[in-house]
Amino acid sequence: MESFREDFDIRSGEILAYLDLLRFIEHAGSELVSTEDPKNKFNITSESRKTLKGAVYILLYNLIESTMREAICFIHDSLHDKNVQFDNLKKNLRIEIVKRLKSDSVGVENFINGLTKGISCGISYGSFNKKKLFSGNIDRDEIKEKATIYGFSTSSDYIHTKHGEKLSTIKQHRNDLAHGNVSFSEIGKNVSYQDLENVSLEVIAYLDAIATNIEDYIHSDGYLTS
């Protein structure tokens, strides 16, 4: 879990550093001057400000998907390390594992390679393909769906997280940008720096709460059938 937390902190730090840059540019004049050569100046246009704002949604979506993907990977790594047998898992998780076996997301060779501890202990690990887990469409509903399957909590402090309600907007903006439906400046033109900071802090707090819930879930063996 240390590497998972480390990755989360790094990506969160990238967003906060980018927001610091946006705040500086927001209050800067119409140009930036090089400290090495005062004659070397860069014009800050309204379009460039909008474009920089629009890029925040890509950074946020990157944080959301990477955090949740690595969190689910951590669950499967823990099940494998603890030699948890298939029959002892919660029913919803057993159903999900069987569904994955029937889909095209898991190759036969990869599945067999994951059975180093026998089929009963290795089936959850061998049937898991993290590259097929979200595929660019993760939002709060998707996280709740995974929570129902695995059995971890999605509770959080609403004051700081708004229970992840902005994740669907971030997903939509990310998809529109990724598919070229809109430009970065179009996304950024109607949002203020303060709005972006508020959304970013809410998302970081929400993901941190989910990560803590998953840690508690692992430590309490929450994946076991009652």
Side-chain angles (χ1 to χ4, degrees):
M1 193 65 180
E2 289 182 1
S3 60
F4 160 65
R5 278 290 188 178
E6 183 179 355
D7 185 68
F8 173 74
D9 290 341
I10 289 173
R11 292 176 192 259
S12 299
E14 289 175 352
I15 293 172
L16 296 177
Y18 190 80
L19 289 172
D20 286 341
L21 173 62
L22 283 184
R23 181 171 57 235
F24 174 81
I25 292 176
E26 188 87 351
H27 297 96
S30 59
E31 59 185 19
L32 295 178
V33 180
S34 171
T35 56
E36 297 180 355
D37 180 7
K39 295 181 180 179
N40 185 11
K41 300 178 181 180
F42 179 82
N43 292 325
I44 306 175
T45 66
S46 60
E47 286 302 303
S48 63
R49 294 176 195 267
K50 296 172 188 175
T51 299
L52 290 170
K53 288 179 182 178
V56 172
Y57 292 104
I58 294 293
L59 292 171
L60 285 172
Y61 186 83
N62 177 275
L63 174 68
I64 295 166
E65 182 159 324
S66 66
T67 299
M68 291 310 305
R69 183 183 62 247
E70 294 308 313
I72 300 299
C73 285
F74 174 63
I75 293 175
H76 284 275
D77 287 341
S78 298
L79 296 178
H80 190 255
D81 292 342
K82 294 182 178 182
N83 297 321
V84 180
Q85 296 190 5
F86 176 79
D87 291 342
N88 293 332
L89 296 173
K90 287 181 177 293
K91 182 179 179 180
N92 285 347
L93 182 50
R94 281 184 279 134
I95 291 173
E96 179 67 14
I97 290 170
V98 173
K99 285 181 179 178
R100 288 172 181 167
L101 288 174
K102 294 172 62 178
S103 72
D104 295 329
S105 63
V106 180
V108 174
E109 184 175 352
N110 288 334
F111 173 68
I112 296 299
N113 290 338
L115 302 182
T116 57
K117 297 185 177 182
I119 191 166
S120 184
C121 292
I123 189 171
S124 65
Y125 192 78
S127 62
F128 178 63
N129 184 347
K130 70 177 185 179
K131 294 181 179 179
K132 301 289 185 179
L133 194 58
F134 295 114
S135 302
N137 287 300
I138 183 173
D139 55 15
R140 179 176 62 174
D141 291 340
E142 180 73 13
I143 292 174
K144 286 183 176 180
E145 181 180 322
K146 289 295 185 288
T148 299
I149 291 170
Y150 286 89
F152 60 83
S153 171
T154 59
S155 64
S156 64
D157 181 358
Y158 181 79
I159 293 177
H160 296 103
T161 70
K162 298 298 186 291
H163 294 334
E165 63 185 24
K166 296 292 180 21
L167 266 67
S168 59
T169 300
I170 293 169
K171 180 190 75 172
Q172 186 60 55
H173 285 334
R174 178 266 181 190
N175 287 342
D176 284 340
L177 288 166
H179 296 296
N181 297 329
V182 295
S183 67
F184 282 85
S185 63
E186 286 178 283
I187 290 290
K189 69 180 180 181
N190 293 321
V191 62
S192 69
Y193 165 80
Q194 193 59 57
D195 290 336
L196 291 172
E197 182 180 52
N198 292 341
V199 169
S200 298
L201 293 176
E202 286 174 15
V203 168
I204 291 172
Y206 176 72
L207 293 174
D208 183 69
I210 298 297
T212 299
N213 293 344
I214 290 177
E215 287 176 316
D216 293 340
Y217 162 86
I218 292 295
H219 294 153
S220 64
D221 296 333
Y223 42 78
L224 296 177
T225 185
S226 46

